[in-house]
Amino acid sequence: MSGPETPVPRPEQALAELIEGNHRFVTGTPSHPNQDAGHRAAVADEQHPFAVIVGCSDSRLAAEIIFDRGLGDLFVVRTAGHTTGPEVLGSVEYAVTVLRAPLVVVLGHDSCGAVRAARESLDTGTQPPGHLGAVVDAVLPSLRRAAAEGVDDLDRIIDLHIAQTVEALLDNSAVLAAEVEAGRCGVVGMSYRLAAGEVRQVAGVLPAVAGSDPTAG
Ligand SMILES: [Zn+2]
């Protein structure tokens, strides 16, 4: 769905495409779309990804594999703990305004090392060495929010961090917020389970469409 003549899908269509691909991956029936030499040549001149993935860098969270997609489909930005510094925001803004991607997905996962490191830092009052501190600092607001809400379970903290990342994208990128406001783009948060391979929507906003529930899932 990423050829040059293909119209830009609606946000909810893009989301459905991702969920269908993840279902194929989970059930062991991937179709590996858009990974052949012909498609490689077809998308060489221009790209029209239908989704932006702002995901954790975790090596088990490879977007094209877990959503069963191929070349030209996904614009992927990954940092440990899916933090959203200026370069991440700029990359997302490029994808939604220049490339016209209709959907942004924050992709977190259970057993996230970045969240665990931030929790250890908060618990012990120590700062990790080098630039790791920047990752921890970026995750800390989610941990403080979890503490304020009485959330202690690591997986629930991770879901909260995913929701917090969705909010951070919208709060810190006026460009993205305007795209959502105009109904051109949706932003959702998904939590991935490493063992099961399954994604679950935990947060987000999709532009309203008649006859659909944008918060379903
Ligand atoms: Zn992680």
Side-chain angles (χ1 to χ4, degrees):
M1 62 191 293
S2 60
E5 286 83 33
T6 308
V8 176
R10 293 280 312 156
E12 66 277 5
Q13 291 172 321
L15 182 60
E17 197 75 35
L18 288 179
I19 290 171
E20 284 168 22
N22 179 246
H23 183 70
R24 294 193 299 272
F25 171 68
V26 168
T27 55
T29 55
S31 55
H32 305 297
N34 299 338
Q35 296 183 17
D36 56 289
H39 187 77
R40 184 180 70 218
V43 297
D45 289 338
E46 54 180 320
Q47 58 171 328
H48 301 275
F50 70 87
V52 184
I53 310 294
V54 180
C56 182
S57 301
D58 192 293
S59 61
R60 300 159 292 183
L61 204 60
E64 283 85 355
I65 294 176
I66 73 168
F67 290 117
D68 190 30
R69 298 307 315 181
L71 301 173
D73 290 334
L74 307 177
F75 190 94
V76 183
V77 189
R78 294 171 70 180
T79 63
H82 46 84
T83 59
T84 54
E87 293 89 349
V88 171
L89 294 175
S91 300
V92 171
E93 290 177 2
Y94 172 76
V96 300
T97 60
V98 179
L99 304 180
R100 313 302 301 169
L103 180 69
V104 177
V105 174
V106 173
L107 181 64
H109 63 100
D110 56 346
S111 306
C112 183
V115 174
R116 189 179 289 140
R119 185 148 89 155
E120 280 170 17
S121 176
L122 194 64
D123 288 347
T124 61
T126 57
Q127 183 82 346
H131 290 85
L132 263 175
V135 174
V136 163
D137 284 346
V139 177
L140 281 179
S142 297
L143 293 186
R144 295 201 180 95
R145 180 168 156 186
E149 295 180 9
V151 175
D152 192 47
D153 174 69
L154 185 64
D155 285 346
R156 286 185 60 207
I157 291 173
I158 283 163
D159 287 356
L160 200 150
H161 179 51
I162 293 167
Q164 175 96 357
T165 305
V166 168
E167 289 170 27
L169 286 175
L170 291 166
D171 287 347
N172 297 322
S173 172
V175 170
L176 177 61
E179 291 292 315
V180 173
E181 183 68 25
R184 286 190 292 268
C185 188
V187 185
V188 302
M190 287 183 176
S191 188
Y192 176 79
R193 297 201 76 80
L194 293 174
E198 200 165 26
V199 293
R200 173 173 52 87
Q201 190 176 329
V202 297
V205 286
L206 286 183
V209 177
S212 76
D213 177 1
T215 60

